[in-house]
Amino acid sequence: MAHHSSDSTSTSKPPRRYLQWPLPLAAIWLLAPVVGILIRLSLEPVGPHDYWWHLAMGKLIAATGGIPTENLFLYTLEADAAFFDQPWLGQWAMYALYEAFGHAGPIVLRNALAATAWAGIVGAALMRCRDPRVVGGLALLTAVVSGPVFGVRTQMFAFVPYVLLVGVLFAVATERLRRPWLLVLVPLTALWANLHGTFMLVPVLAGLTGGSLVVEHWIEERTFDPVQIGWWGGTVLAVSLAAMLNPLGPHIFVYVWELTFVSQVSETVTEWQPPSIDTPMGVVVLLTLTASLVVLALRRKKVRLFEAVLFAATAYLAVSAVRQMFWWGAVMLMVVPRHLSALLSLDPWWEDRTSQAQGVAHAVAAAVLVAAAVASQPGLWLHDVGSELRAGVARRTPPAQGLLKVDSPTRLVSQLAERGYPGTIFHDQASGGYLGFALGIGPTDARTNQVAFVDQRMELIPEAVWDEYFQLSRAQQGWREVVERYGIRTMLLSPREQWRLVQVLQGDPAWTLVGVDEAHLLFMRSDQTDHLTQWR
């Protein structure tokens, strides 16, 4: 492992600026991944799973001024069953934006955070590899495979802090920044620990970076540098203590560990599963990872130990779960481009003269990209066009037309709130958070009601309740007994996910179909005459 104090590539003259006249093609290479991810996210309607649950908790936090510590919404558990709401600050922020701007508020914030994160990581990568063709091309490829990670949920608050984390670690490790810059990670961790559980990446990646540098120094000098050990060891300790500045204190580490490695969420939720090679995204991930390993193997004598360790650690996260793709993608952009650029031996991009005509063409292309990114935001024409093209995925009727996926039964739930319903509601899991948001919190006194069978809290719901959920959804033997035990008299069902139960109810005179939404059917018990009259 060769030690380098700088990542700069030696050149005969300093490179031209990326933004100067005539505008070089380099500007397009660097703009494309940022604009690409922004347009992709803007044209994708928001799914119901985490979105509604976070809004429900944000609504409760705003109404009560406190952080929930109990179940509250599930009638399948005791109302006071202990529950820890770790991303409370992100939930409150999402709800505040929703209150002020409707669904467009959280969506635009997600888009802005994603664009900022990608601009930041592209800029940091350029500090290590000056070639915008390599950096921009790899960034565009990475944006394609990591796009699904950027949902409208509290995880969106982690991407900019992560880019800052990676940027600081690489800059200090390569001596572009002095070690005191590591102190920036302390307040960053304190904030992050109240936004999303991925704050654990700070002590882990800082520890891996510092440990790699200590080992690297020992290999080269056969001595340990106590100052180096003190700075990196102190940083890991300081950020670990900073993470305890949350409502759960030091137990937050146990919570994250259990959620990640113990809870059944890692076994049952698709985005917690490894990327499958049966999907186009999985194939692209496999090819990109393989190509990156080949590049690093060919350049092994020039690869720093900390680069290899961070690449391996985050690659492990990426192949373990789809939702962790960006963590690896950002590190890959910091590690691979400079080695790939050296292997390709490309002519320096700044040696190609840009004519006035080319500069105009590049400027027009850049303006079109920026205009498309702006026009793709909610309420603007490109977003409306995209919603029409996404017919069958995005809602085509109010409320939330074009913004949410059809999986959010907004019309039926609004009617449930207005007209009432008998008994308790059985529903598809995706609607659990929405029922908590719309029906579980009183409009004036913030009193909560147990309205959902299951919701998004995989770590809270015991396996026995999940067994009953699937027993009902599949109309398996004994499902009627489950209905009677919980007093279920209303069913809000997804034909796609609960088709067997829908078939049974349609042929059962004991149940009556009272409402239809774009992707949901609403049934009520036929003996509930007062409610049936109200709905008819």
Side-chain angles (χ1 to χ4, degrees):
M1 298 284 179
H3 178 76
H4 303 279
S5 61
S6 173
D7 291 309
S8 300
T9 304
S10 59
T11 57
S12 57
K13 60 180 180 178
R16 293 165 51 196
R17 296 174 182 173
Y18 304 111
L19 297 177
Q20 67 173 27
W21 189 258
L23 190 69
L25 185 60
I28 307 301
W29 276 108
L30 300 178
L31 188 61
V34 179
V35 171
I37 192 69
L38 188 55
I39 294 176
R40 184 195 189 287
L41 295 178
S42 299
L43 300 183
E44 181 74 16
V46 179
H49 291 79
D50 292 338
Y51 178 68
W52 284 113
W53 169 247
H54 289 318
L55 286 185
M57 297 307 290
K59 181 179 180 180
L60 188 59
I61 292 168
T64 63
I67 302 173
T69 58
E70 300 173 331
N71 159 35
L72 301 178
F73 296 122
L74 300 179
Y75 61 78
T76 49
L77 300 177
E78 295 296 329
D80 60 354
F83 161 68
F84 173 55
D85 187 32
Q86 187 269 325
W88 66 273
L89 185 57
Q91 293 167 341
W92 173 83
M94 284 181 62
Y95 179 71
L97 284 170
Y98 168 80
E99 274 286 277
F101 305 104
H103 295 294
I107 293 173
V108 171
L109 175 64
R110 183 278 309 271
N111 296 346
L113 292 174
T116 300
W118 277 101
I121 199 63
V122 167
L126 284 173
M127 299 296 291
R128 310 199 72 225
C129 173
R130 293 177 175 177
D131 197 318
R133 297 164 295 185
V134 177
V135 172
L138 287 178
L140 190 59
L141 180 63
T142 308
V144 171
V145 299
S146 64
V149 177
F150 289 82
V152 185
R153 53 190 177 185
T154 54
Q155 189 183 23
M156 66 185 183
F157 294 103
F159 295 114
V160 173
Y162 181 72
V163 169
L164 181 58
L165 165 67
V166 170
V168 168
L169 292 181
F170 274 82
V172 173
T174 57
E175 299 179 12
R176 287 185 176 275
L177 293 178
R178 297 174 63 84
R179 289 170 183 157
W181 276 93
L182 292 172
L183 297 177
V184 171
L185 303 181
V186 178
L188 179 72
T189 307
L191 175 63
W192 196 343
N194 293 281
L195 291 169
H196 195 259
T198 48
F199 72 90
M200 283 289 292
L201 290 168
V202 185
V204 171
L205 296 190
L208 291 175
T209 304
S212 299
L213 294 175
V214 169
V215 171
E216 190 178 71
H217 185 272
W218 184 85
I219 291 174
E220 294 177 350
E221 306 292 339
R222 287 297 187 269
T223 61
F224 291 110
D225 182 353
V227 176
Q228 183 184 53
I229 294 173
W231 267 106
W232 287 100
T235 297
V236 173
L237 177 61
V239 297
S240 299
L241 293 174
M244 299 180 190
L245 298 177
N246 72 88
L248 198 62
H251 293 288
I252 194 171
F253 295 106
V254 177
Y255 165 82
V256 174
W257 172 266
E258 291 180 346
L259 179 61
T260 305
F261 299 104
V262 179
S263 171
Q264 60 183 343
V265 65
S266 60
E267 302 175 0
T268 57
V269 180
T270 302
E271 66 176 17
W272 284 84
Q273 302 299 308
S276 172
I277 59 173
D278 295 332
T279 64
M281 188 192 78
V283 172
V284 174
V285 171
L286 177 62
L287 293 177
T288 304
L289 178 58
T290 302
S292 298
L293 291 174
V294 170
V295 169
L296 297 182
L298 294 175
R299 288 270 297 173
R300 58 189 177 276
K301 293 183 179 181
K302 298 294 184 179
V303 177
R304 296 281 301 275
L305 179 60
F306 86 91
E307 289 180 307
V309 169
L310 291 184
F311 182 92
T314 53
Y316 169 77
L317 294 177
V319 299
S320 299
V322 172
R323 66 179 286 130
Q324 302 185 125
M325 197 65 62
F326 180 71
W327 314 138
W328 168 69
V331 169
M332 187 273 288
L333 286 174
M334 296 295 290
V335 173
V336 174
R338 76 187 189 97
H339 298 293
L340 178 60
S341 179
L343 288 175
L344 294 176
S345 299
L346 298 174
D347 293 333
W349 66 272
W350 58 86
E351 291 184 355
D352 294 332
R353 294 182 59 84
T354 302
S355 68
Q356 293 290 332
Q358 289 174 323
V360 171
H362 297 160
V364 170
V368 170
L369 288 174
V370 173
V374 174
S376 66
Q377 301 310 299
L380 300 180
W381 72 271
L382 185 57
H383 186 275
D384 294 339
V385 171
S387 297
E388 290 296 323
L389 295 176
R390 300 286 288 174
V393 177
R395 285 194 61 86
R396 296 180 62 85
T397 58
Q401 179 179 355
L403 295 177
L404 304 183
K405 289 185 176 180
V406 294
D407 297 336
S408 288
T410 53
R411 186 168 62 84
L412 282 180
V413 173
S414 297
Q415 293 174 338
L416 284 170
E418 295 170 1
R419 303 177 186 180
Y421 56 92
T424 56
I425 304 174
F426 180 71
H427 53 88
D428 62 313
Q429 187 263 345
S431 299
Y434 188 19
L435 294 179
F437 174 82
L439 306 177
I441 304 172
T444 57
D445 56 5
R447 182 178 58 182
T448 58
N449 303 304
Q450 292 176 271
V451 295
F453 193 98
V454 292
D455 56 26
Q456 283 61 49
R457 291 173 290 180
M458 300 290 185
E459 75 281 10
L460 174 66
I461 303 170
E463 185 175 353
V465 173
W466 284 115
D467 289 341
E468 292 176 325
Y469 170 78
F470 289 113
Q471 182 184 11
L472 264 174
S473 295
R474 297 164 183 168
Q476 294 173 338
Q477 184 177 4
W479 72 271
R480 298 181 192 275
E481 287 76 7
V482 177
V483 168
E484 294 304 317
R485 183 162 63 253
Y486 288 111
I488 297 170
R489 299 294 181 267
T490 304
M491 293 203 189
L492 179 65
L493 303 180
S494 165
R496 185 178 63 184
E497 302 294 336
Q498 299 166 304
W499 177 240
R500 178 56 185 158
L501 181 57
V502 168
Q503 287 182 309
V504 171
L505 295 189
Q506 285 179 327
D508 189 342
W511 291 88
T512 300
L513 178 66
V514 298
V516 178
D517 209 333
E518 294 185 40
H520 285 79
L521 302 175
L522 182 67
F523 293 88
M524 290 184 183
R525 280 283 288 262
S526 300
D527 57 5
Q528 304 296 308
T529 55
D530 291 343
H531 286 283
L532 291 179
T533 300
Q534 179 71 16
W535 277 81
R536 285 170 179 164

